[in-house]
């Protein structure tokens, strides 16, 4: 019998089941198994996703093994980057309405960004992924979560919420950041 190396397990700490699914399916081809630990992490009012991720990495010091956290946002340049780091709070309080209203007279270009943070003991690394596109004229589709129904990637006719999960994973900000995590661990087996 051929003995294979045991797949490494990564603990993904988040309260969002949609993110956990995406992270697990992106890391599976790298032989990395993902265990989802549902936990609310601190999200300080901070000017950048990287600052939020640094706080999350600090908050998971107690979790053994390889630990992954991330923070994401939707950035609209014609709104000076809003909602950006405030994406979660804004969506919870206001929904999509004000964004449609504000974009009636402004460029609809937008991008998602994810900063992923990997911790192993005292070592930490961060990885960034982006996807560019535009804000749809109305919400469409039922897949995904968050702003997926209003985001159309560049070159697409559909929103992220109108396509099967694999199609979002092929191009998304999160998949792009998390694939770098897989590549990093594949090339740095001793990290
Ligand atoms: P956070 O990273 O959990 O703080 O997410 C910020 C906000 O952006 C939340 O409202 C999420 O639902 C939303 N969000 C994060 N990632 C995505 C995504 O991949 N698609 C759509 N919305 C997202």
């Amino acid at each position: 019998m051929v003995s294979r190396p045991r797949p490494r397990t990564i603990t993904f700490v988040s309260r969002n089941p949609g993110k956990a699914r995406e992270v697990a399916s992106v890391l599976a081809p790298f032989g990395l198994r993902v265990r989802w630990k549902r936990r609310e992490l601190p999200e300080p009012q901070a000017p950048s996703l990287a600052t939020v991720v640094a706080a999350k990495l600090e908050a998971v010091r107690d979790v053994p093994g390889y630990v992954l956290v991330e923070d994401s946002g939707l950035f609209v340049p014609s709104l000076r980057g809003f909602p950006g780091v405030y994406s979660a709070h804004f969506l919870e309080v206001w929904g999509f309405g004000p964004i449609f209203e504000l974009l009636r007279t402004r460029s609809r270009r937008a991008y998602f960004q994810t900063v992923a943070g990997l911790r192993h003991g005292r070592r930490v690394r961060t990885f960034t992924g982006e996807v560019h596109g535009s804000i749809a004229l109305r919400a469409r589709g039922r897949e995904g979560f968050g702003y997926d129904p209003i985001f159309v990637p560049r070159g697409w006719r559909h929103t992220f919420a109108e396509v099967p999960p694999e199609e979002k994973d092929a191009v998304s900000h999160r998949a792009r950041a998390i694939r770098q995590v897989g590549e990093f661990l594949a090339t740095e087996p001793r990290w």
Side-chain angles (χ1 to χ4, degrees):
M1 203 176 93
V2 184
S3 81
R4 295 190 182 177
R6 256 162 58 89
R8 270 194 278 192
T9 298
I10 296 191
T11 304
F12 178 60
V13 184
S14 167
R15 63 176 173 160
N16 185 326
K19 289 184 180 182
R21 188 212 57 77
E22 291 180 11
V23 167
S25 75
V26 170
L27 289 180
F30 294 93
L32 295 164
R33 202 170 37 206
V34 173
R35 185 173 48 207
W36 176 35
K37 191 175 179 69
R38 188 177 204 141
R39 188 199 274 186
E40 191 91 28
L41 291 173
E43 292 216 10
Q45 289 271 311
S48 71
L49 298 179
T51 316
V52 176
V53 167
K56 289 185 175 181
L57 280 169
E58 200 51 39
V60 297
R61 267 176 177 277
D62 61 314
V63 181
Y66 291 91
V67 193
L68 187 62
V69 295
E70 67 96 275
D71 202 56
S72 303
L74 175 69
F75 297 79
V76 182
S78 67
L79 303 179
R80 298 186 196 174
F82 196 76
V85 288
Y86 309 108
S87 293
H89 186 65
F90 184 82
L91 185 58
E92 245 166 67
V93 176
W94 295 102
F96 302 138
I99 293 187
F100 290 139
E101 193 58 38
L102 288 165
L103 293 187
R104 277 160 54 136
T105 53
R106 293 177 174 86
S107 163
R108 311 188 77 83
R109 277 196 313 112
Y111 64 96
F112 274 117
Q113 189 178 74
T114 291
V115 176
L118 180 66
R119 170 179 280 285
H120 187 209
R122 295 155 75 94
R123 283 170 289 194
V124 296
R125 276 276 182 147
T126 57
F127 306 85
T128 303
E130 285 184 4
V131 59
H132 290 253
S134 60
I135 302 297
L137 290 168
R138 59 181 179 83
R140 302 192 319 250
R142 291 174 169 274
E143 297 283 342
F145 61 93
Y147 293 92
D148 280 344
I150 68 166
F151 185 79
V152 179
R154 190 185 287 156
W156 287 31
R157 286 171 39 221
H158 296 109
T159 67
F160 268 158
E162 291 182 296
V163 298
E166 318 79 78
E167 289 188 34
K168 178 181 175 189
D169 292 347
V171 302
S172 86
H173 48 307
R174 179 164 303 98
R176 286 178 170 157
I178 301 300
R179 265 197 287 276
Q180 292 173 55
V181 173
E183 282 156 12
F184 173 71
L185 288 175
T187 51
E188 301 275 347
R190 292 174 187 280
W191 191 83

